[in-house]
Amino acid sequence: ADPNAVTDAQRRMFHAVGKNVYGKDWPDVGKAMIADMTGGSVHTSDMTKAQMTRLIDQLKTEENAMPPAPEASDVDTLFGPPPVNYQ
C-alpha cells in the first residue's frame, strides 16, 4: 500500500464534514474541491494524504464558523408558539 495514499478514515471524515457544511450541494462541492487540489481529477484516490488533510482542515474551519444549530428549547422563539387549537 502507498504510504502517501488517502486513508479510508480520511475519506469518511472528508465526506462527513463536507455533508455537514454543504448539505445537498456536497457531491458537487466535494468534486470541485478534489479537482482543484488534484488539477482535474474528481477521485479521492488520486490525492495524497497531505492534500486530503488540507481539504479536511479547510472544511473543519468552515464547519467551525457555522452558526450553532438551534436548541430544541428555542423552537418557540424561532417559529412562534403552536396554534391554540394545536392537538
Side-chain angles (χ1 to χ4, degrees), residues 31-77:
K31 284 180 184 158
M33 290 179 80
I34 296 166
D36 244 16
M37 186 62 77
T38 61
S41 172
V42 294
H43 302 289
T44 56
S45 56
D46 292 326
M47 295 174 62
T48 64
K49 264 188 192 169
Q51 288 174 323
M52 182 58 90
T53 297
R54 284 208 300 276
L55 287 188
I56 291 169
D57 288 348
Q58 181 182 333
L59 284 168
K60 284 183 174 178
T61 298
E62 292 176 39
E63 183 179 47
N64 291 336
M66 292 169 65
E71 298 293 324
S73 60
D74 293 338
V75 168
D76 284 354
T77 309

Side-chain angles (χ1 to χ4, degrees), residues 2-48:
D2 180 352
N4 291 316
V6 172
T7 66
D8 284 341
Q10 280 184 308
R11 196 173 286 112
R12 285 193 298 271
M13 175 68 73
F14 177 66
H15 289 299
V17 179
K19 281 180 194 155
N20 188 34
V21 174
Y22 289 101
K24 64 180 174 41
D25 295 328
W26 173 241
D28 294 331
V29 174
K31 284 180 184 158
M33 290 179 80
I34 296 166
D36 244 16
M37 186 62 77
T38 61
S41 172
V42 294
H43 302 289
T44 56
S45 56
D46 292 326
M47 295 174 62
T48 64

